[in-house]
Structures are given as C-alpha cells and as structure tokens.
Amino acid sequence: MYNEIDLEKIDLNLAPPTEEPARQYYFMAKCQEWVHRFSEKNNRLPQACVINMGCQMNAKDSEKLAGILKNIGFELIDDEAADLVFYNTCTVRDNANQRMYGRLGLVHSLKKKNPHKKIALCGCMMQEDSVIEKIQKSYSFVDLIFGTHNIYKAAELLVTMYHSDRMIIDIWKDTDKIVEDLPAQRKYSFKSGVNIMYGCNNFCSYCIVPYVRGRERSRSSEDIIKEVKKLVSDGVVEVMLLGQNVNSYGKTLSQDISFAQLLQKIEQIDGLQRIRFMTSHPKDLSDELIDVMRQSQKICRHLHLPLQSGSTKILKAMNRCYTKEQYLELAHKIRSAIPEISLTTDIIVGFPGETSQDVDETIDVVKKVQYDNAFTFIYSKRTGTPAASMPASASSDEIKANFDRLLKVVQETARSRAGRLVGTIQSVLVEERNAHDPSLVSGRLSNNTLVHFPGDVTLIGKLVDVRLEAAHGFYYTGKMNSQ
Ligand code: SAH
Ligand code: SF4
Ligand code: F3S
C-alpha cells in the first residue's frame, strides 16, 4: 500500500531507478519540479482534471491517476478547462467511442483558447489500433496517449510529454505486471473499489474487454488484505472488490485460494462493515461462494449475475459456457439459500442470429428469476471479436421492437420486487446530499438500491436505519427510524 513518500528527498541528479514503483516515485519528483516552475511563473498551481468514461474498473484507474497527479502537486478540479485533462476511455460499445470523439471536439475549442493546455487519452479505447490511427489523423492536438496496461507509468509519461512538442503514444499489447504501492485519490471517503484481479480470459464472442484489458491475473491475497486494512484505517466502511470475473479469482496465483476464501479473509477485517463485488460470471459461481455469502455478516445482499441471453442457442454462440436451464438452476439455488438477496443482470439484445423466439426465452428467464434490476443493451459490433464476423439476422427495427418488449418486462418485475421492502426498516449507508433537494440525503441499502430521506451531511459515511415509506421505480423514499 502506498505510504506517503517525500518526493523532495529523491535525488534527481541520479539516473532513474529501473525497479517499480521506485521509478515512478522518481518521475513524480521530476514532474513536481515542473509544477514548481509553473507555480512560480503563473502564481498558481497547475490544474488537472480526470474524466472517467467507463465502468468501475476504469473509475478505479481514474482514482489511481488522480492520486499520482495530486502527489505531483496538481490541483484536481472537475472542469475540462483545466491545464491538463485526462480522458479515461471505454470501448465496450460503439456509443462509448462516439461519446469520446464528441468530447474531443469540445475540448479542442478549449485548447484553442489556451494553447498551453495538454490533453491526454488513456484507458480501454486506446488499446485499439484503429482508434490510435484515427486520433493521429483527425485529432492531432492530443498530447499524450497511453493504454490500460501502463497507467501506473503516468508520471513518467507526463515528464516525456512536458519535454516534447509531439504527440506521445505508449501502448502495450499486454502485461503480466501488477505494480503495487502507488497513490490513489478516492472519490468517496467512506467507500472504495479494490482491484482483486485484472484482465479477462473468457472471450465471450461479442466482447472487446479481453482484447483491451489483457490476460487474467489475480493480485495476491496479502496485497488485497493490506489495501483493505489501510482503507479501513482511513475511514472506509464499504469495499467493492473488482474484477471482470471475480469467481475465477486465484486461478493465476501459485497460492491456493478461491474467491470465497478471499471473502472470508476480508470479512475478518475489523471496522469494515460492507463487502460488495463485481462481476460474477455464472459459469464459475461455486456452492462454496453461496455458502460464504449466506453465512456472512458483511457481504451485501446483492449479486450481479449477467445473463446476456436466455436462449441456449445464443448463449452457445456467445461462448458463455452455460445453458438457460443451468442459469435458472443457479439463480434458484442462490435465491433459496439467501432469500433476501437482490439479483441484477446484464442482457444483450440483437446478437447475430437472434430471433424473436430467442428473445422470448430471455423474457422467460426475466420472469422466472424476477430480477431486481437489469441493464439491457443493444448488441454493438466490436471489430476483432468473433461475433463481428457472424452474419446479422434481424433488422434494426426488429431488434428495437424486441428490446422494447424485454425492457417492459424488466421494468415491471423490478417495480414489483421493489414494492416488497416498503414498510420495513433497513440499514442505509449514507453517500451524499441529495442533488435535487438539499434537505434530503441519499444512500444505499445492502441490496444496492438507492434511498432518499431527510437528513444532513453529518450522516455521510454512516450506516443508519431507515423506514422505507415508498418505492419509486429504482429508488425508495423514507425516514430515519429514530425520527
Ligand atoms: N465482465 C463483465 C462484463 C463487462 S462489460 C461480465 O462478464 O459480466 C458489461 C456489459 O456490457 C456486459 O455484461 C454485456 O452485457 C455488455 N456488453 C459487452 N459487450 C457488448 C457488446 N459488444 N454489445 C452490447 N453490449 C455489450
Ligand atoms: Fe467480456 Fe465475457 Fe470477460 Fe465479461 S466475462 S469481460 S463479458 S469477455
Ligand atoms: Fe470497463 Fe469499458 Fe473497459 S466497460 S473494462 S471501461 S471497455
């Protein structure tokens, strides 16, 4: 875990160390020199802004980037007018890429007003060759590009960027490296994501993540426990363990440890109150995990269990390695063991070869499992994935009609599920002041649903009992039990 290091003590007359993380500390110190020069000249600190455009894994990477920038001496702000702007990109669906290009157009106009402004792009989208070519050709005002594997090198790359007038590009195809002990700037003081593994080996046929995030590798359980303990001593009460498929945690380690065993170790950390995790692939979800969840006092009553499709034929083409029946059996087993659990899912509509009958099968699973919530996506073709060369079968109108049919059932089930907790008293972790009504605060139940209730900012980061008075689609309103 990162301990405050005094960058002033690093001798910059020496050559940079070759070992990590010492090398990055050296470059942070070197960047700090630049910050000092900037401050003297401009009578203010340089400002940096990190914009996160992806999933929780990306959000965690953004916190690491922000931690490095803060240590160097940048003032972190939430405004793209900053002197240095990082976009941490996503490429899971084409609309993520389109959003990024739109954003670049806007930031270009800001750069024209401030020619010293620097623009850096990183994250999943940068791992694609076609994207790099397009940026070189059409967005030549970008100053720095790096990918998912070398984010820990941000300080070193910034030093190169500030010494050059050209676009700096550093993309690695893959890595087996995990660099520990770098700083992170958390968005919330009381909760934090914790990486337990990186990459993905599942190669679902529609998905680009294994290509842009590389091969699966797990962090050692000692490093994870050390990080969680440090977070708890800093005031964190809830952790979200992050991995593309947490159920295969440990498979790349010499140490013999399963995800369920890791959870048991984390459970024992005093002061930690809630444990979440994301994402759980149905094919690897063990009975051991269900048992550990059932007995746990801290693991939240929420499981995100991506279905993707309810048709066995489509699941096979997706390379998901389970059938409709196996998924239903698993969901049943989980609900029987932990009746109060909330199940959520991801579903794709419009995969190549999918017919309306296949979507009927998906709708059948939604009705049977009774998801508390489901994220529904229209299939997006990703170049380089096996599904990209499968012929499309349905027209976009048919896909849209199927999508709407599914969404209707998803919303109906979610509404009826939410109703069942009305009138009960539940523990809520208060997260923030309500954005629309300052007399309210907002927090989350163990099952991850949002709750809004009267309260003030002193409650933020605390677990309080709230009587749920009404369900409104995806959130509740209520009152603190003592009121
Ligand atoms: N590792 C996670 C998912 C990461 S991507 C898991 O296995 O569940 C998040 C979601 O995006 C996926 O669950 C899937 O539903 C959706 N998704 C991924 N690739 C997609 C594509 N090409 N088109 C549409 N949705 C996609
Ligand atoms: Fe993509 Fe499948 Fe890996 Fe999830 S498990 S990241 S959907 S390849
Ligand atoms: Fe996440 Fe998007 Fe990358 S979903 S892993 S940020 S492609």
Side-chain angles (χ1 to χ4, degrees):
M1 192 67 220
Y2 180 73
N3 292 314
E4 292 299 313
I5 39 151
D6 190 351
L7 296 182
E8 308 280 348
K9 288 209 178 107
I10 295 176
D11 185 353
L12 293 174
N13 295 315
L14 299 175
T18 48
E19 290 298 305
E20 299 293 4
R23 185 175 171 87
Q24 295 315 310
Y25 298 162
Y26 175 93
F27 282 108
M28 284 189 229
K30 201 138 181 107
C31 246
Q32 204 178 45
E33 280 191 333
W34 179 88
V35 167
H36 290 327
R37 282 199 300 277
F38 179 100
S39 311
E40 272 161 29
K41 196 161 142 210
N42 298 286
N43 254 325
R44 66 172 176 91
L45 290 174
Q47 294 178 322
C49 167
V50 181
I51 308 274
N52 187 62
M53 307 191 74
C55 63
Q56 278 101 335
M57 228 93 38
N58 253 41
K60 177 73 192 184
D61 283 346
S62 295
E63 292 188 358
K64 292 179 187 171
L65 204 50
I68 293 173
L69 293 168
K70 177 112 200 275
N71 264 264
I72 290 172
F74 280 91
E75 179 193 352
L76 293 173
I77 60 168
D78 246 349
D79 184 341
E80 284 159 88
D83 303 292
L84 170 61
V85 185
F86 278 90
Y87 293 95
N88 192 8
T89 61
C90 171
T91 185
V92 75
R93 286 170 290 274
D94 187 55
N95 55 9
N97 298 47
Q98 296 317 320
R99 251 202 330 269
M100 183 65 244
Y101 291 126
R103 207 77 182 236
L104 273 179
L106 292 176
V107 80
H108 190 197
S109 56
L110 291 175
K111 181 154 174 161
K112 282 184 195 148
K113 285 184 214 142
N114 173 8
H116 299 295
K117 185 184 186 73
K118 297 283 183 190
I119 296 166
L121 304 179
C122 60
C124 296
M125 191 175 152
M126 299 304 125
Q127 292 292 139
E128 291 180 279
D129 297 341
S130 58
V131 169
I132 302 296
E133 278 164 32
K134 182 164 173 171
I135 292 171
Q136 282 176 304
K137 205 162 131 231
S138 311
Y139 301 88
S140 56
F141 57 88
V142 169
D143 300 286
L144 171 62
I145 302 180
F146 55 95
T148 53
H149 304 302
N150 51 352
I151 195 157
Y152 74 88
K153 263 183 74 177
E156 183 170 351
L157 292 167
L158 281 177
V159 170
T160 316
M161 181 191 81
Y162 279 119
H163 283 95
S164 167
D165 291 332
R166 300 183 28 211
M167 187 190 285
I168 307 294
I169 304 178
D170 189 14
I171 307 288
W172 300 0
K173 283 285 157 229
D174 202 350
T175 184
D176 52 7
K177 240 195 191 138
I178 297 180
V179 178
E180 297 286 350
D181 302 327
L182 285 169
Q185 174 72 19
R186 291 198 317 277
K187 189 166 171 213
Y188 297 97
S189 59
F190 52 88
K191 67 170 186 177
S192 178
V194 174
N195 296 107
I196 64 165
M197 59 204 296
Y198 301 93
C200 180
N201 282 355
N202 291 302
F203 290 96
C204 302
S205 64
Y206 50 82
C207 183
I208 198 150
V209 171
Y211 304 88
V212 297
R213 286 264 166 190
R215 293 295 56 74
E216 182 179 301
R217 51 214 182 273
S218 296
R219 275 177 87 190
S220 81
S221 64
E222 288 82 17
D223 283 334
I224 296 168
I225 305 278
K226 210 158 72 173
E227 176 170 354
V228 177
K229 282 187 174 159
K230 172 80 167 56
L231 288 168
V232 170
S233 71
D234 283 352
V236 165
V237 292
E238 178 180 298
V239 290
M240 163 83 94
L241 308 178
L242 298 171
Q244 294 297 350
N245 176 13
V246 291
N247 295 332
S248 67
Y249 171 77
K251 289 193 179 151
T252 60
L253 293 172
S254 53
Q255 184 189 22
D256 187 18
I257 180 165
S258 64
F259 178 55
Q261 288 160 349
L262 176 72
L263 281 171
Q264 283 176 306
K265 287 188 184 213
I266 295 176
E267 171 109 19
Q268 284 161 20
I269 298 175
D270 281 340
L272 182 65
Q273 310 214 40
R274 279 181 168 184
I275 306 170
R276 299 186 185 277
F277 53 85
M278 186 94 159
T279 300
S280 215
H281 195 306
K283 79 179 165 70
D284 297 313
L285 200 147
S286 65
D287 289 350
E288 187 196 14
L289 176 64
I290 299 175
D291 211 43
V292 166
M293 286 183 79
R294 186 175 60 81
Q295 292 183 30
S296 168
Q297 301 298 311
K298 297 185 181 174
I299 301 174
C300 288
R301 279 6 204 170
H302 173 217
L303 186 67
H304 187 66
L305 194 63
L307 168 69
Q308 312 301 0
S309 167
S311 150
T312 297
K313 176 191 96 191
I314 295 298
L315 285 169
K316 191 159 194 303
M318 287 177 161
N319 192 30
R320 289 290 290 179
C321 306
Y322 51 85
T323 62
K324 176 187 183 187
E325 289 68 32
Q326 284 168 331
Y327 185 98
L328 283 173
E329 200 188 311
L330 179 63
H332 178 72
K333 201 155 60 174
I334 296 164
R335 276 255 157 85
S336 317
I338 315 164
E340 72 279 21
I341 203 157
S342 145
L343 286 178
T344 59
T345 200
D346 290 345
I347 299 171
I348 298 175
V349 178
F351 185 83
E354 187 182 62
T355 62
S356 293
Q357 287 72 42
D358 292 315
V359 179
D360 291 342
E361 302 266 1
T362 305
I363 290 175
D364 185 45
V365 176
V366 173
K367 286 185 174 159
K368 289 195 167 114
V369 174
Q370 291 282 305
Y371 293 108
D372 295 81
N373 197 0
F375 299 97
T376 47
F377 306 106
I378 288 187
Y379 168 72
S380 170
K381 183 171 166 173
R382 309 315 288 134
T383 310
T385 61
S389 51
M390 298 179 189
S393 50
S395 69
S396 56
D397 282 351
E398 281 169 294
I399 293 174
K400 182 75 179 53
N402 279 331
F403 183 86
D404 291 344
R405 242 163 20 98
L406 169 70
L407 191 63
K408 194 161 163 272
V409 180
V410 161
Q411 287 172 341
E412 281 164 10
T413 10
R415 203 170 307 125
S416 83
R417 288 285 297 167
R420 89 208 135 99
L421 288 183
V422 172
T424 64
I425 294 168
Q426 302 286 332
S427 176
V428 175
L429 175 60
V430 184
E431 300 201 335
E432 57 205 358
R433 184 194 285 242
N434 187 292
H436 303 292
D437 181 346
S439 71
L440 303 180
V441 288
S442 306
R444 280 180 195 274
L445 299 180
S446 170
N447 79 11
N448 208 33
T449 317
L450 264 175
V451 184
H452 306 298
F453 61 96
D456 61 52
V457 288
T458 59
L459 296 173
I460 291 175
K462 297 203 173 106
L463 278 155
V464 294
D465 282 344
V466 175
R467 180 182 294 277
L468 305 181
E469 292 180 329
H472 312 260
F474 296 110
Y475 66 92
Y476 293 99
T477 45
K479 278 215 177 67
M480 258 170 80
N481 193 30
S482 53
Q483 287 175 339

